[in-house]
Amino acid sequence: MFNLSDLYQQVIIDHTKSPRNFGRLEPCNHDAEGYNPLCGDQLHVYLQINDSNVIEDVKFEGQGCSISTASASLMTEALKGKSVDEFEHLFEAFHTMATADISETPDEAVLGKLAVLAGVKEFPARIKCATLCWHTLKSAIEDGGTARTE
Amino acid sequence: MKHDISVIRGDFPILHQEVYGKPLVYLDNAATTQKPQCVIDTVRHYYEKDNANIHRGVHLLSERATADYEAARETIRLFFNAKSSKEVVFTRGATESINLVATSWGNANVGKGDEVLITHMEHHSNIVPWQMLCDRVGASLKVVPMNAAGELEMDAFETLLSDRTKLVGVVHMSNALGTINPVGTMIKKAHAVGAKVLVDGAQAAAHMAVDLQALDADFYVTSAHKMYGPTGVGVLVGREVLLDAMPPYQGGGDMILTVTFEKSQYNDLPHKFEAGTPNIAGAIGFGRAIKYIESIGFKAIEACEKKLLTYAIQKAADFDGLRQIGTAGNRACILSFVLDGVHPHDLGTILDREGVAIRAGHHCAMPVMQFYGVPATARASFSIYNTKAEVDVLFTALAKAQAMFA
Ligand SMILES: Cc1ncc(COP(=O)(O)O)c(C=O)c1O
C-alpha cells in the first residue's frame, strides 16, 4: 500500500514551509491566475521570457495546500533558465507522471527533482493540486487569463 | 426511546468496515448521512416487489407504488406538522426546492426595486437562485451580516427589513458553522413587513424537531440524504395558498389534468409541481428514514449529539494551534476549524489514511470563508451513530498531521 510518507516526502514538506521563488515578479511579461474551485487553492504565476524564448525568471504567489505550494515551488526552480520548448517537454512529462499508471516509474532523467511528486497519482483527489501550477504557467505563456482545474 | 449507541451503530451496515486498514470513522455527516438497513431494505423491497409508475397504472403494482409514495408524503407531512399533504412537494432535494420557489414564486412576486434578504451564512444553493432571480427581474439582494462567532446580527436584520423586502431566505442550521438561527423570531419580523420566508432546513431537519405550523414558515426545504434517506429526493413544504397561486415550475406528465394544443389545465397540489416520473423509490425510502428518526426521537438525538459536540469543542479548545471557525452559542453537530501550519486539504488526506472521513473545503459557503479570511476549513460533522471514541481518533489524527508538518 502507498503510504502518506510517499506523498508528503521531506522535500515536499520543506518546499511547503519555505516556498522558493515566492512573490510577485517585476518586471514580468507573462502572468496568469490559477484556481482550484474544489479546495480554494489560488495561485498567480509570473514569468519573464526573453527574445530567445528563454524563461529568465519565474515566480508565484497565492495560497494553497502543501501539494500545490510545493509543486509550484519546485516548478519555478526547475524552469528558471529553461526555454519555452523545454517547458512544453517538462509539462508533458509532469502530466504523464501525475496521471500515469502506478506501475510506471517516473522518468527521473527528464523530471529531476520534480519526481518527488510522483506520489500524487496514488491520491486521486490531490492530482489537481499538483498540476494546477503547471496549467497556470502554460496559460501564462500562451497569454490566456485564468487556469482552472475543472 | 433510549438511545443505545451500539444498537444504532448496528443499524448502519456501512459503518462496519475498514479503510486503509483502519476502522472507518465517518465524520462527514453534514455532506450526507449514512443509511440505516431499514431504508436500504425499503428501497430494495420497492424494486424487488412493487416497482411501477405511479398515478397512472390500473394494475396492482402501480397501485402499491402509488400508495407507498403517497404514504411517504403523509409521513413527511406529519413529521414537519404541515397542515395538509397538498403542501408537501417532492423534489430532487433542497437545491431544487429553492430553485422552484425562486423561479415560480419569485418571477410572479418579485419585481424591479424589490429586495430579497438572505444571510451571510447561506449555502450557495440559497444564494445563487436568488441572485439569478434578482438579475432577471431587477431586484436587489441584501445580506444580513454576522458576528465573529458566526451568529446573525439581529439588529441589522431588523434594519434591513422594509416594505421592499419580498422574501427572506435563511438557513435554519448552517452547514459551515453549525449555527442554529432564530428562525421563529425572524419569521415573525419578516411577516410584520409583509415579506415571505424560505427556511433552508437541509442541515437542521435531521437534528431537531421542526413544527412548521408553530414556526409559521412560508417555505421549508430539505434533502432526504442528510436525514438518513436516499440521495436525489427532497421536499419543498410550502403554504397552500402560496403554492396554489404559483405557476408550475416544470411542465410535463403528472402535473396536468388535461392537455390540448390550445391549453393545458394544471393538476392540483402538490402534483402541479411534480412534473414527470419522480424518484419513487427515493421518496418511499425518505418516508422510511423519517420513521427511523422518529423511532429514536429528537429528545434522544439532541441529547446525544449535544454531548458529543460539547466533548469535541472541549478537545478543540485544548488543542494547540487549532482555531475554531464558528463558535455560536446555539449550534449543533459541526466542528469547523483550521490548524496552524496544515492546510485543510492536506488534513483531509492525512485523516483519510487514519480512517477518518471529514470534509475540507469551502463547504459551498464561500462568503463564510471570506468573512473569516480563510480559503477553506476542515469540518467534522457528527450524527447519531458517532461516539466519543471516534472524536478521540479524530484528535489523535490531527496531532499526527500537525507532527508531519512540524
Ligand atoms: C445548509 C444547506 N443547504 C442546502 C444544501 C443543498 O442540499 P442538496 O445538495 O442536497 O440539494 C446543503 C447541502 O450541502 C446544505 O448544507
Side-chain angles (χ1 to χ4, degrees):
Chain A
M1 191 179 75
F2 228 72
N3 286 316
L4 269 183
S5 53
D6 297 319
L7 179 64
Y8 294 106
Q9 297 189 34
Q10 208 47 50
V11 181
I12 289 176
I13 304 273
D14 174 48
H15 278 258
T16 303
K17 285 167 48 176
S18 35
R20 321 297 196 263
N21 304 306
F22 190 83
R24 212 187 157 85
L25 178 66
E26 298 199 63
C28 81
N29 51 16
H30 293 264
D31 76 304
E33 272 185 58
Y35 180 52
N36 181 344
L38 200 66
C39 50
D41 288 356
Q42 238 154 346
L43 187 77
H44 203 131
V45 301
Y46 308 90
L47 289 148
Q48 182 68 18
I49 300 176
N50 69 17
D51 293 342
S52 5
N53 261 338
V54 169
I55 299 169
E56 284 192 335
D57 207 353
V58 46
K59 284 184 139 191
F60 79 102
E61 59 184 2
Q63 51 185 356
C65 65
S66 165
I67 303 305
S68 77
T69 305
S71 181
S73 174
L74 286 158
M75 175 187 77
T76 56
E77 268 194 343
L79 290 179
K80 225 184 269 193
K82 294 263 177 14
S83 71
V84 170
D85 281 349
E86 285 170 305
F87 159 74
E88 302 280 354
H89 195 54
L90 267 179
F91 180 95
E92 289 307 321
F94 190 86
H95 206 265
T96 306
M97 172 184 80
T99 54
D101 195 77
I102 306 158
S103 59
E104 275 175 52
T105 39
D107 188 349
E108 291 200 32
V110 177
L111 287 159
K113 217 166 152 188
L114 296 169
V116 297
L117 281 157
V120 296
K121 68 184 169 212
E122 260 297 279
F123 296 77
R126 308 306 299 278
I127 291 170
K128 287 172 176 173
C129 306
T131 54
L132 175 65
C133 58
W134 287 88
H135 287 287
T136 309
L137 201 99
K138 194 170 168 55
S139 98
I141 290 177
E142 290 163 2
D143 279 327
T146 304
R148 286 151 115 279
T149 53
E150 43 205 65
Chain B
M1 188 189 139
K2 196 174 155 296
H3 181 259
D4 184 336
I5 191 75
S6 63
V7 172
I8 287 180
R9 287 187 68 79
D11 291 338
F12 291 83
I14 205 170
L15 298 177
H16 310 282
Q17 65 174 303
E18 296 195 336
V19 294
Y20 304 111
K22 308 270 169 62
L24 170 67
V25 174
Y26 186 78
L27 299 179
D28 196 16
N29 294 288
T32 196
T33 55
Q34 299 303 346
K35 320 305 173 199
Q37 190 66 54
C38 61
V39 169
I40 298 168
D41 288 346
T42 297
V43 170
R44 185 187 166 124
H45 175 91
Y46 168 77
Y47 281 123
E48 283 182 353
K49 307 282 184 203
D50 302 332
N51 176 54
N53 213 324
I54 52 169
H55 298 140
R56 47 187 91 166
V58 291
H59 53 81
L60 181 62
L61 264 49
S62 176
E63 280 170 15
R64 284 210 297 256
T66 305
D68 288 350
Y69 181 80
E70 291 303 327
R73 195 192 306 276
E74 178 61 11
T75 301
I76 293 161
R77 179 193 77 76
L78 278 167
F79 181 78
F80 287 112
N81 193 29
K83 266 204 188 105
S84 141
S85 61
K86 290 183 184 171
E87 301 189 320
V88 179
V89 177
F90 281 117
T91 63
R92 267 195 318 121
T95 302
E96 189 178 55
S97 300
I98 298 169
N99 278 280
L100 189 164
V101 176
T103 304
S104 168
W105 183 86
N107 286 353
N109 292 281
V110 181
K112 204 171 164 57
D114 288 342
E115 292 174 0
V116 173
L117 181 57
I118 58 171
T119 85
H120 203 115
M121 66 176 84
E122 297 310 309
H123 186 277
H124 294 163
S125 63
N126 205 24
I127 301 175
V128 184
W130 303 116
Q131 251 166 2
M132 290 163 64
L133 168 67
C134 288
D135 283 350
R136 276 198 305 275
V137 302
S140 49
L141 191 67
K142 302 280 171 186
V143 181
V144 183
M146 62 181 183
N147 64 22
E151 295 161 328
L152 293 179
E153 305 263 20
M154 292 303 281
D155 290 348
F157 171 62
E158 287 191 49
T159 313
L160 283 161
L161 272 180
S162 74
D163 57 7
R164 287 186 304 279
T165 314
K166 289 293 171 272
L167 182 123
V168 173
V170 57
V171 67
H172 197 170
M173 171 185 157
S174 157
N175 66 307
L177 303 165
T179 309
I180 297 168
N181 287 314
V183 289
T185 312
M186 294 174 78
I187 289 168
K188 275 197 195 73
K189 293 195 187 319
H191 284 170
V193 301
K196 304 293 181 235
V197 182
L198 179 143
V199 180
D200 173 359
Q203 290 296 329
H207 302 296
M208 65 194 78
V210 176
D211 179 336
L212 287 182
Q213 289 187 58
L215 263 187
D216 205 22
D218 300 292
F219 302 106
Y220 197 90
V221 308
T222 193
S223 294
H225 72 94
K226 295 185 199 279
M227 309 170 65
Y228 315 107
T231 53
V233 64
V235 283
L236 160 65
V237 188
R239 206 187 286 285
E240 186 176 345
V241 285
L242 296 176
L243 292 177
D244 214 25
M246 283 157 57
Y249 175 51
Q250 294 178 333
D254 253 9
M255 55 75 69
I256 44 79
L257 291 175
T258 58
V259 174
T260 65
F261 286 117
E262 287 69 42
K263 189 169 171 48
S264 299
Q265 195 190 352
Y266 304 134
N267 202 340
D268 298 331
L269 289 177
H271 311 291
K272 180 172 90 178
F273 291 108
E274 295 180 3
T277 301
N279 184 348
I280 304 167
I284 295 169
F286 188 8
R288 188 64 189 89
I290 281 182
K291 289 241 154 90
Y292 180 76
I293 293 176
E294 288 171 340
S295 76
I296 300 168
F298 276 117
K299 219 171 130 207
I301 291 174
E302 284 185 58
C304 131
E305 291 180 343
K306 195 178 176 73
K307 231 188 282 170
L308 206 59
L309 182 67
T310 307
Y311 183 69
I313 288 174
Q314 189 53 50
K315 289 208 96 161
D318 295 341
F319 198 94
D320 262 353
L322 185 151
R323 172 181 162 217
Q324 290 188 52
I325 302 294
T327 50
N330 193 9
R331 69 196 257 222
C333 288
I334 283 174
L335 184 72
S336 202
F337 60 94
V338 291
L339 201 58
D340 281 350
V342 192
H343 190 279
H345 210 188
D346 296 306
L347 264 185
T349 296
I350 297 166
L351 264 52
D352 180 40
R353 295 284 158 146
E354 297 295 316
V356 183
I358 61 155
R359 173 93 185 261
H362 53 57
H363 318 295
C364 298
M366 289 175 97
V368 172
M369 302 297 113
Q370 290 147 14
F371 177 83
Y372 287 99
V374 294
T377 75
R379 179 189 71 188
S381 51
F382 308 107
S383 184
I384 40 172
Y385 39 69
N386 292 125
T387 65
K388 282 187 178 177
E390 289 182 312
V391 176
D392 291 340
V393 175
L394 165 70
F395 280 91
T396 306
L398 289 181
K400 196 164 173 177
Q402 215 173 26
M404 276 179 72
F405 283 88

